[in-house]
Amino acid sequence: MAKSTLLLIDFQNDYFENGAFPLVGPEAAVQNAKGVLDTFRGRADLIVHVRHHALESDAPFFVPGSHGAEIHQRVAPTGNEIVVTKSQINVFLDTDIDTILRQNGITSVVVVGAMSHMCVDAAVRAASDKGYQVTVLHDAVATRDLEFGDQRVPASQVHAAFMSALAFAYAEVISVDEYIKRQS
């Protein structure tokens, strides 16, 4: 049986209402993530919180030491849960996360967080490339509207495009409810 960990990626205050870079629907995503977090805590499985800290002195969000860079209280780490701080989009780049996972015998990662098209996408692809079995809980992931040229792409379409791409070759993409049902 695969030994799993939960990766909670960038559930930071700047992505929520009144934050410096709010997403579309982060409240629903964090609520769903809390449900799976409780499942992992109940099993005493490894939990890894990932947070982004901007390195630029004039960064518009995720400024180290700011309220916006803090992990949202609904999914804040407790006890001996691991926190990995990254400054790249991909959590596997320039951090010790791969070492942490391997030292703990992890073979499977369950991914939730933000943003669908950036840090979640990069983490899922990297984890798969490194040989981990990856599951993405699509309703515990949030993103934002994007623009390309003169087109505005709604967050729901951004999210659907990235989840379908990840499901094609990198991960199993399911709902939190489906994941929790399978754990019973």
Side-chain angles (χ1 to χ4, degrees), residues 23-39:
L23 304 182
V24 174
E27 295 82 9
V30 82
Q31 174 66 27
N32 289 332
K34 176 73 167 104
V36 77
L37 176 59
D38 290 344
T39 298

Side-chain angles (χ1 to χ4, degrees), residues 19-180:
F21 202 71
L23 304 182
V24 174
E27 295 82 9
V30 82
Q31 174 66 27
N32 289 332
K34 176 73 167 104
V36 77
L37 176 59
D38 290 344
T39 298
F40 271 78
R41 284 176 174 162
R43 295 189 314 223
D45 283 346
L46 184 71
I47 296 166
V48 179
H49 299 264
V50 178
R51 68 177 170 207
H52 192 103
H53 277 177
L55 296 179
E56 305 83 16
S57 59
D58 61 345
F61 59 96
F62 293 161
V63 176
S66 70
H67 174 72
E70 292 175 10
I71 295 172
H72 193 277
Q73 67 179 356
R74 300 282 308 270
V75 291
T78 62
N80 60 354
E81 294 172 1
I82 296 168
V83 177
V84 172
T85 302
K86 64 181 178 67
S87 58
Q88 305 288 336
I89 293 167
N90 179 355
V91 67
F92 285 88
L93 185 61
D94 299 333
T95 72
D96 59 353
I97 193 164
D98 191 41
T99 301
I100 291 167
L101 298 179
R102 295 200 189 282
Q103 286 176 343
N104 284 280
I106 300 300
T107 57
S108 172
V109 295
V110 177
V111 179
V112 299
M115 294 186 289
S116 306
H117 68 284
M118 293 294 288
C119 300
V120 168
D121 178 63
V124 168
R125 291 171 188 258
S128 177
D129 289 346
K130 290 185 174 290
Y132 296 99
Q133 177 186 346
V134 184
T135 302
V136 179
L137 305 181
H138 66 81
D139 54 350
V141 178
T143 195
R144 60 182 291 129
D145 297 345
L146 295 179
E147 292 182 11
F148 180 73
D150 62 351
Q151 290 184 325
R152 184 183 151 280
V153 184
S156 62
Q157 291 178 10
V158 173
H159 183 71
F162 276 82
M163 293 300 105
S164 64
L166 293 175
F168 183 77
Y170 287 97
E172 179 180 33
V173 179
I174 60 175
S175 70
V176 168
D177 285 346
E178 169 110 8
Y179 179 80
I180 291 172

